[in-house]
Amino acid sequence: MSDNAGGIATITATVHKSGRLQKIWHDAGFNKAFTQACSEFGVSAQVVKRISAGSFAVLRRRWVVERTWAWLTNHRRLRVDYERDPTVTAGFTWAAHTRLLLHRLQQTPNPTRSTN
Protein backbone atom coordinates (compact mmCIF):
# COMPACT_ATOMS: atom_id res chain seq x y z
CA MET A 1 0.00 0.00 0.00
CA SER A 2 1.34 3.44 -0.85
CA ASP A 3 1.89 6.16 1.73
CA ASN A 4 -1.05 8.13 0.34
CA ALA A 5 -3.52 5.23 0.34
CA GLY A 6 -2.44 4.20 3.85
CA GLY A 7 -2.56 7.77 5.08
CA ILE A 8 -6.04 8.34 3.69
CA ALA A 9 -7.27 5.05 5.19
CA THR A 10 -5.73 5.96 8.55
CA ILE A 11 -7.15 9.48 8.66
CA THR A 12 -10.58 8.16 7.65
CA ALA A 13 -10.55 5.58 10.45
CA THR A 14 -9.00 7.83 13.08
CA VAL A 15 -10.76 11.16 12.76
CA HIS A 16 -14.08 9.78 14.01
CA LYS A 17 -12.46 8.16 17.06
CA SER A 18 -10.72 11.30 18.28
CA GLY A 19 -12.34 14.70 18.40
CA ARG A 20 -8.99 16.28 19.32
CA LEU A 21 -7.13 15.57 16.08
CA GLN A 22 -6.38 18.96 14.52
CA LYS A 23 -2.99 18.80 12.80
CA ILE A 24 -0.79 16.19 11.12
CA TRP A 25 2.86 16.57 10.20
CA HIS A 26 4.01 14.38 7.33
CA ASP A 27 6.93 13.98 4.99
CA ALA A 28 7.05 14.75 1.30
CA GLY A 29 5.99 11.19 0.40
CA PHE A 30 2.37 12.21 0.83
CA ASN A 31 0.78 14.15 -2.02
CA LYS A 32 -2.23 16.37 -2.57
CA ALA A 33 -4.74 13.50 -2.27
CA PHE A 34 -3.74 12.97 1.37
CA THR A 35 -3.83 16.70 2.10
CA GLN A 36 -7.30 16.94 0.50
CA ALA A 37 -8.57 14.00 2.56
CA CYS A 38 -7.30 15.69 5.72
CA SER A 39 -8.95 18.99 4.84
CA GLU A 40 -12.29 17.21 4.21
CA PHE A 41 -12.19 16.09 7.85
CA GLY A 42 -11.09 19.49 9.13
CA VAL A 43 -7.52 18.37 9.91
CA SER A 44 -4.58 20.54 8.91
CA ALA A 45 -1.78 18.63 7.13
CA GLN A 46 1.68 20.16 7.01
CA VAL A 47 4.75 18.83 5.18
CA VAL A 48 8.03 18.65 7.12
CA LYS A 49 10.57 19.32 4.38
CA ARG A 50 14.23 18.37 4.42
CA ILE A 51 16.68 21.24 4.29
CA SER A 52 19.07 19.47 1.93
CA ALA A 53 19.45 15.86 0.81
CA GLY A 54 23.21 15.61 1.38
CA SER A 55 23.47 16.85 4.96
CA PHE A 56 21.93 16.18 8.36
CA ALA A 57 19.81 18.77 10.11
CA VAL A 58 17.30 18.46 12.92
CA LEU A 59 13.86 19.23 11.53
CA ARG A 60 10.98 20.64 13.50
CA ARG A 61 8.44 17.97 14.40
CA ARG A 62 10.28 15.23 12.50
CA TRP A 63 11.81 14.00 15.77
CA VAL A 64 8.33 13.17 17.10
CA VAL A 65 7.86 10.51 14.42
CA GLU A 66 11.40 9.17 14.73
CA ARG A 67 11.15 8.97 18.52
CA THR A 68 7.86 7.09 18.31
CA TRP A 69 9.36 4.52 15.91
CA ALA A 70 12.34 4.13 18.25
CA TRP A 71 10.05 3.46 21.23
CA LEU A 72 8.07 0.91 19.26
CA THR A 73 11.13 -0.99 18.08
CA ASN A 74 12.18 -1.46 21.70
CA HIS A 75 9.44 -4.11 21.84
CA ARG A 76 10.63 -7.45 20.53
CA ARG A 77 7.48 -8.32 18.58
CA LEU A 78 7.58 -5.02 16.70
CA ARG A 79 11.25 -5.10 15.64
CA VAL A 80 10.53 -7.51 12.82
CA ASP A 81 7.11 -8.02 11.27
CA TYR A 82 6.51 -11.66 12.24
CA GLU A 83 2.74 -11.56 11.89
CA ARG A 84 0.79 -12.52 8.79
CA ASP A 85 -2.33 -10.67 9.89
CA PRO A 86 -1.97 -6.86 10.13
CA THR A 87 -4.54 -6.72 12.94
CA VAL A 88 -2.15 -8.70 15.15
CA THR A 89 0.61 -6.17 14.48
CA ALA A 90 -1.86 -3.36 15.23
CA GLY A 91 -2.69 -5.07 18.53
CA PHE A 92 0.96 -5.29 19.50
CA THR A 93 1.36 -1.61 18.58
CA TRP A 94 -1.56 -0.69 20.84
CA ALA A 95 -0.08 -2.84 23.63
CA ALA A 96 3.31 -1.14 23.26
CA HIS A 97 1.78 2.34 23.40
CA THR A 98 -0.36 1.34 26.39
CA ARG A 99 2.75 0.08 28.19
CA LEU A 100 4.56 3.36 27.48
CA LEU A 101 1.65 5.46 28.75
CA LEU A 102 1.24 3.35 31.89
CA HIS A 103 4.95 3.72 32.57
CA ARG A 104 4.59 7.52 32.29
CA LEU A 105 1.64 7.54 34.69
CA GLN A 106 3.62 5.47 37.17
CA GLN A 107 6.59 7.84 37.26
CA THR A 108 6.83 10.47 39.94
CA PRO A 109 7.35 14.07 38.82
CA ASN A 110 10.90 15.42 38.91
CA PRO A 111 10.92 18.56 41.10
CA THR A 112 14.16 19.84 39.52
CA ARG A 113 12.78 19.78 35.98
CA SER A 114 11.43 23.04 34.65
CA THR A 115 7.74 23.02 33.63
CA ASN A 116 8.07 25.97 31.25
Side-chain angles (χ1 to χ4, degrees):
M1 179 181 289
S2 71
D3 287 346
N4 291 304
I8 292 170
T10 302
I11 192 73
T12 303
T14 307
V15 76
H16 300 295
K17 293 180 180 181
S18 173
R20 297 176 19 179
L21 185 61
Q22 296 176 359
K23 189 170 197 172
I24 294 177
W25 291 284
H26 59 88
D27 62 6
F30 294 88
N31 66 11
K32 293 181 184 177
F34 176 73
T35 306
Q36 273 184 332
C38 289
S39 65
E40 289 174 9
F41 292 113
V43 176
S44 171
Q46 181 180 354
V47 178
V48 179
K49 296 181 181 179
R50 289 192 295 181
I51 296 172
S52 67
S55 66
F56 174 78
V58 178
L59 302 176
R60 265 183 81 91
R61 296 296 173 189
R62 180 69 186 188
W63 64 271
V64 176
V65 175
E66 299 300 332
R67 178 193 61 199
T68 303
W69 282 114
W71 284 341
L72 289 175
T73 56
N74 282 334
H75 296 83
R76 183 179 63 84
R77 293 295 293 260
L78 295 175
R79 282 192 188 135
V80 178
D81 194 12
Y82 295 109
E83 316 306 329
R84 293 178 187 228
D85 186 4
T87 57
V88 175
T89 303
F92 280 115
T93 304
W94 276 103
H97 277 291
T98 302
R99 181 180 170 273
L100 290 167
L101 291 174
L102 287 173
H103 180 71
R104 284 186 188 174
L105 288 172
Q106 185 181 17
Q107 291 178 343
T108 57
N110 186 351
T112 60
R113 186 173 179 189
S114 174
T115 58
N116 293 339

